[in-house]
Structure formats: structure tokens, C-alpha cells
């Protein structure tokens, strides 16, 4: 009897954890066994998949329960301060879980359950970042090998929460929504016709015009999703705005939502690192020269200090 298969996300897999299921690749409509039950993605196995920008693998429908147990066990361990695992390992697992949450919402924005799961996870994520001093460093240091917008969203969310924490901005509920908005801010880039993962200098005039529309298009995609919070859709809509009114909407500082402005600053930092290819020291210099006046000085200084600490 032929097997039925379902997809699983590469972002949820761990290199140091043995799997309880067989993992397959789909090549030319054929199912190729990549890793057997009881083996692990140790060494370069997982890195190779991410480098090839492979987002999904497959498992037999018979193994769905074991896969869910595998994910849940990893996440519970990562959030447990008494697990005995080092912060780097815990951060990698949590980063993967957050990336998975972003991908779920990007792919199924109409699904309220996926959104609520991402929202609930964002509250735990903020708590994890605030209570673990090295968590921000560990997560921001993780390379975005496939230059994924979901991975980018996790980094932006992390930097936004770190900035808010250091400057004592927003209450607990607002920080949860800030983390979620940062995670989902690039909704407009999902299914975009242009290649986002490249320096802005490589964009044609036509591509740049499409790029500038993504905040509005992202907000349009979710405006009828009643389960989504207004604060999150506002971040999606305004995350490219800057204090000098140079953003695509032309908003002045007084017109920009405070959480959207924090997200915008965090977004600028990770775009410079992930897509412009700048090192952290170069980003700090860029912030002090090129972004001066575009964000509040304390945002620039604080983000610079965060990068220097990594």
C-alpha cells in the first residue's frame, strides 16, 4: 500500500536531536529517504538543506504524531530554564519555532488558529529574551543561510524587543504585539515577484517601485482578517517609515505608530546585515552616519550598543 506524505518545515528540525520519524525529500515527484528514524541532522546535514533554501521536507502521515511530539519536546526543553541546555542550543530551537510560526501565518493568514499560536508564542518569546541576558546575542548571531523573510522576521522581532526593553518602552501586552508585529512585518514580501534577498543597489527602478509598495500590500492582505490585532497590522503597514518622512508613506515622526517606528529601526539593522551584507561593525557606523535623523538618537545608540555586544 502506497504511503501518504505531509510536509514539515526545515526550520523546526534540530541538528543535535535524534528524530522519531523518517524524513524524505521530494524530487521529481519521487519520495527520497533523506534521514532515517533514530538518526540526527548532525554535522552539515541541516546546514546544507538551509543553504539550498529548502524550506520543507516530508514525513509519512503515520508519523505526524511523532513529529508533533518531537517539536513539542524540543520547545518545552528550550523554554525550561532548568533544562541544563546551554543558551545557544535553547536559542536555536526557539528561533526555529518562531520562524515556523511566521511561516505558518504567511502561508495561511486566514487561519485564526495559526495566528493565535504565533501570538501566544510571542509572549513566551519576550519573556525568554528579557530573562536570559545572552539570548538576544545568540539569536541575532544565527546566520540566515537561506535569507528567509521568516528568519529575518525573527531577528527584527528580537532586536525590536531588545530595544524596547533597554529603553523601557511599552507595557507587557504591547511588547507581545511588538514581537508579533516584528515577526510578521514583511507580510507584503510573501509571494513577491521580485528577489528581496539582495542589496538595494542591485534593484532596478521597476523592482524598487514594487519593493516600496510591500508595506501597503501587506496591510491590504490582512485588513479583512478580523483575528489579527490592529497593532500588528499597523506595524506591517508602517514598518518602513522614518522620522524624516523618507519612508514610502511619507509619514512624519508624529504620524508613525511608536511600535512601528521601533520595528522600522530594527528592520533597518537586519536588512543591512542580512541583505546588504554588512558586518555588525559596519552596520554600527552606517547607523551613526546614514540613519542619523531618520530615527531617534537613543534608538540608534541603543541598537549600536546591542550590536557591539554580540
Amino acid at each position: 500500500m502506497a504511503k501518504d506524505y505531509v510536509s514539515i518545515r526545515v526550520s523546526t528540525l534540530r541538528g543535535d536531536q535524534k528524530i522519531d520519524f523518517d524524513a524524505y525529500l521530494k524530487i521529481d515527484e519521487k519520495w527520497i529517504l533523506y534521514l532515517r528514524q533514530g538518526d540526527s541532522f548532525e554535522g552539515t546535514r541541516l546546514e546544507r538543506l538551509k543553504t539550498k533554501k529548502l524550506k520543507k521536507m516530508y514525513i509519512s502521515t503515520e508519523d505526524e504524531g511523532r513529529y508533533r511530539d518531537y517539536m513539542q519536546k524540543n520547545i518545552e526543553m528550550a523554554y525550561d530554564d532548568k533544562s541544563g541546555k546551554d543558551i545557544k542550543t535553547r536559542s536555536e530551537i526557539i528561533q526555529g519555532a518562531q520562524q515556523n510560526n511566521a511561516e505558518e501565518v504567511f502561508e495561511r493568514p486566514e487561519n485564526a488558529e495559526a495566528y493565535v499560536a504565533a501570538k501566544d508564542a510571542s509572549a513566551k518569546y519576550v519573556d525568554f529574551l528579557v530573562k536570559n541576558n545572552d539570548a538576544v546575542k545568540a539569536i541575532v548571531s544565527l546566520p540566515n543561510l537561506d535569507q528567509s523573510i521568516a528568519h529575518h522576521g525573527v531577528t527584527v522581532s528580537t532586536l525590536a524587543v531588545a530595544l524596547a526593553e533597554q529603553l523601557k518602552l511599552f507595557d507587557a501586552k504591547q511588547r507581545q504585539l511588538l514581537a508579533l508585529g516584528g515577526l510578521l512585518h514583511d507580510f507584503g514580501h510573501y509571494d513577491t515577484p521580485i528577489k528581496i534577498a539582495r542589496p538595494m543597489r542591485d534593484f532596478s527602478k521597476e523592482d524598487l517601485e514594487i519593493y516600496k509598495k510591500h508595506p501597503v500590500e501587506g496591510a491590504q492582505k490582512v485588513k479583512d482578517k478580523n483575528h489579527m490585532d490592529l497593532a500588528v497590522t499597523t506595524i506591517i503597514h508602517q514598518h518602513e517609515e522614518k522620522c524624516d518622512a523618507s519612508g514610502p508613506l511619507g509619514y512624519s515622526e508624529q504620524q508613525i505608530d511608536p511600535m512601528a517606528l521601533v520595528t522600522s529601526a530594527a528592520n533597518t539593522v537586519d536588512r543591512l546585515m542580512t541583505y546588504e551584507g554588512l558586518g555588525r561593525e559596519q552596520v554600527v557606523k552606517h547607523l551613526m552616519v546614514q540613519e542619523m535623523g531618520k530615527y531617534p538618537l537613543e534608538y540608534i545608540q541603543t541598537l549600536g550598543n546591542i550590536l557591539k555586544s554580540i
Side-chain angles (χ1 to χ4, degrees), residues 251-270:
Y251 285 8
S252 66
E253 183 175 1
Q254 291 72 29
Q255 294 173 295
I256 305 171
D257 176 84
M259 288 195 287
L261 186 59
V262 168
T263 305
S264 176
N267 177 56
T268 292
V269 168
D270 193 54

Side-chain angles (χ1 to χ4, degrees), residues 52-307:
K52 292 180 180 295
K53 299 186 178 182
L54 185 74
K55 290 183 168 40
K56 292 182 179 180
M57 298 187 74
Y58 296 86
I59 60 172
S60 164
T61 53
E62 297 173 355
D63 283 335
E64 281 190 271
R66 283 186 281 272
Y67 169 67
R68 285 195 294 269
D69 290 344
Y70 165 87
M71 277 205 311
Q72 190 60 34
K73 181 171 62 176
N74 281 337
I75 293 170
E76 288 177 358
M77 179 274 291
Y79 275 117
D80 183 2
D81 292 331
K82 299 179 181 178
S83 67
K85 291 289 186 179
D86 60 87
I87 194 65
K88 182 176 182 294
T89 298
R90 295 171 63 200
S91 296
E92 287 176 355
I93 294 170
I94 292 170
Q95 190 280 338
Q98 286 296 93
Q99 183 173 332
N100 176 63
N101 290 332
E103 290 166 348
E104 287 284 350
V105 178
F106 286 158
E107 290 188 8
R108 301 184 296 155
E110 75 287 348
N111 188 295
E113 185 177 336
Y115 178 81
V116 170
K119 182 176 179 179
D120 290 345
S122 291
K124 293 180 68 175
Y125 189 61
V126 171
D127 190 59
F128 173 72
L129 294 176
V130 171
K131 289 184 177 179
N132 294 276
N133 293 332
D134 291 330
V136 171
K137 175 181 177 180
I139 289 171
V140 174
S141 296
L142 290 172
N144 189 347
L145 296 173
D146 60 354
Q147 297 187 311
S148 150
I149 60 168
H151 185 133
H152 166 64
V154 179
T155 306
V156 170
S157 175
T158 304
L159 290 170
V161 171
L163 177 58
E165 169 65 13
Q166 292 204 20
L167 294 181
K168 305 305 177 188
L169 303 173
F170 316 129
D171 60 28
K173 179 64 175 178
Q174 289 173 315
R175 289 190 188 183
Q176 177 189 15
L177 295 175
L178 173 68
L180 183 57
L183 186 69
L184 303 176
H185 75 277
D186 266 343
F187 214 108
H189 280 327
Y190 187 72
D191 282 342
T192 183
I194 64 173
K195 181 182 178 183
I196 299 303
R198 53 179 166 153
M200 296 297 287
R201 64 179 178 273
D202 293 345
F203 280 56
S204 67
K205 183 178 179 181
E206 293 74 20
D207 286 351
L208 193 57
E209 286 304 310
I210 294 173
Y211 177 90
K212 289 179 179 178
K213 293 177 183 177
H214 83 269
V216 171
E217 291 180 348
Q220 287 290 325
K221 288 179 180 178
V222 301
K223 70 176 184 178
D224 63 339
K225 307 299 184 290
N226 294 328
H227 54 272
M228 296 190 72
D229 296 273
L230 178 60
V232 173
T233 59
T234 299
I235 289 172
I236 292 170
H237 186 224
Q238 298 183 17
H239 75 269
E240 290 277 355
E241 297 307 293
K242 302 185 179 186
C243 296
D244 64 351
S246 63
L249 300 175
Y251 285 8
S252 66
E253 183 175 1
Q254 291 72 29
Q255 294 173 295
I256 305 171
D257 176 84
M259 288 195 287
L261 186 59
V262 168
T263 305
S264 176
N267 177 56
T268 292
V269 168
D270 193 54
R271 164 155 268 284
L272 289 169
M273 291 191 296
T274 298
Y275 302 132
E276 300 293 330
L278 299 186
R280 288 190 286 272
E281 290 184 6
Q282 292 174 296
V283 173
V284 172
K285 291 178 181 178
H286 179 99
L287 290 175
M288 295 303 296
V289 177
Q290 302 297 328
E291 303 300 325
M292 193 63 69
K294 296 181 181 180
Y295 298 108
L297 179 59
E298 61 268 28
Y299 288 17
I300 291 173
Q301 292 173 331
T302 302
L303 285 168
N305 289 335
I306 290 170
L307 293 181

Side-chain angles (χ1 to χ4, degrees), residues 22-62:
D22 291 337
Y24 295 82
L25 299 177
K26 188 178 182 181
I27 302 175
D28 296 330
E29 299 305 314
K30 294 181 179 179
W31 305 102
I32 309 300
L33 180 61
Y34 185 80
L35 198 67
R36 293 184 182 277
Q37 178 182 0
D39 288 340
S40 70
F41 287 91
E42 62 184 350
T44 61
R45 283 173 169 172
L46 196 57
E47 187 174 315
R48 283 201 305 270
L49 295 176
K50 293 181 178 180
T51 301
K52 292 180 180 295
K53 299 186 178 182
L54 185 74
K55 290 183 168 40
K56 292 182 179 180
M57 298 187 74
Y58 296 86
I59 60 172
S60 164
T61 53
E62 297 173 355

Side-chain angles (χ1 to χ4, degrees), residues 1-5 60-62:
M1 182 176 177
K3 286 185 179 181
D4 291 323
Y5 298 88
S60 164
T61 53
E62 297 173 355

